[in-house]
Amino acid sequence: EAQVTQNPRYLITVTGKKLTVTCSQNMNHEYMSWYRQDPGLGLRQIYYSMNVEVTDKGDVPEGYKVSRKEKRNFPLILESPSPNQTSLYFCASSLSYRANTEAFFGQGTRLTVV
Amino acid sequence: EDQVTQSPEALRLQEGESSSLNCSYTVSGLRGLFWYRQDPGKGPEFLFTLYSAGEEKEKERLKATLTKKESFLHITAPKPEDSATYLCAVQPSGTYKYIFGTGTRLKVLA
């Protein structure tokens, strides 16, 4: 089954404790991205990757890091989480950055930073 | 600044009562406009991509249209299972990032 898998689904952590949210897709997609979704602000893109070793900032990259060492994986790293990073996070992938094809989204990771 | 605005924020319809959702955008150029449906607790699901003014796409009770400044998602004779949040996104020219609107929460009453 074609899918984007995020882990964990739920996470409560303390301020300053480094964490990684994993994202994996099994569709051989080139383009992957991370979003956060907050009430009243909608989905905002954090980072995106057009292919292996190629990443770029979205609209809200501060406080986040990403890497794309393999085509299928695109982890989101919070090196020193703060309470304002409490949010619902989504990973998404699409076939190619060249064609505006549909994005497939993961089920989301609800992160709480206390 | 590139921007996407959706209206209304929320909409309640009786079953069978047709209506339209609006997505207006301000970008220097448009590579594509996307509509997604999002159910509570789930990730968005793709509905349509539109690329140029005048383009229309249909799927069951949904029809999406595009002009140079806005897109409409028309819902004909909606059913309760159409209740969801509908999201609009654009990809501006010269960039590979996506900008989403805040969505329209649709509730269809039986």
Side-chain angles (χ1 to χ4, degrees), chain B residues 28-44:
Chain B
S28 51
L30 184 69
R31 284 172 53 88
L33 184 141
F34 303 79
W35 283 98
Y36 289 85
R37 168 191 171 127
Q38 186 176 24
D39 293 302
K42 295 191 174 183

Side-chain angles (χ1 to χ4, degrees), chain B residues 6 10 16 26 46-47 55 57 63-64 71 74 76-77 79 81 89 97 102-103 109:
Chain B
Q6 290 188 248
T26 306
F46 173 79
L47 293 173
E55 191 175 358
K57 288 193 178 172
K63 179 180 177 180
S71 176
H74 306 278
T76 302
K79 298 182 177 182
E81 53 261 42
K97 65 180 184 180
T102 52
L109 304 171

Side-chain angles (χ1 to χ4, degrees), chain A residues 50-61:
Chain A
M50 292 184 287
N51 214 325
V52 176
E53 302 291 3
V54 181
T55 63
D56 206 349
K57 296 177 181 178
D59 283 336
V60 288

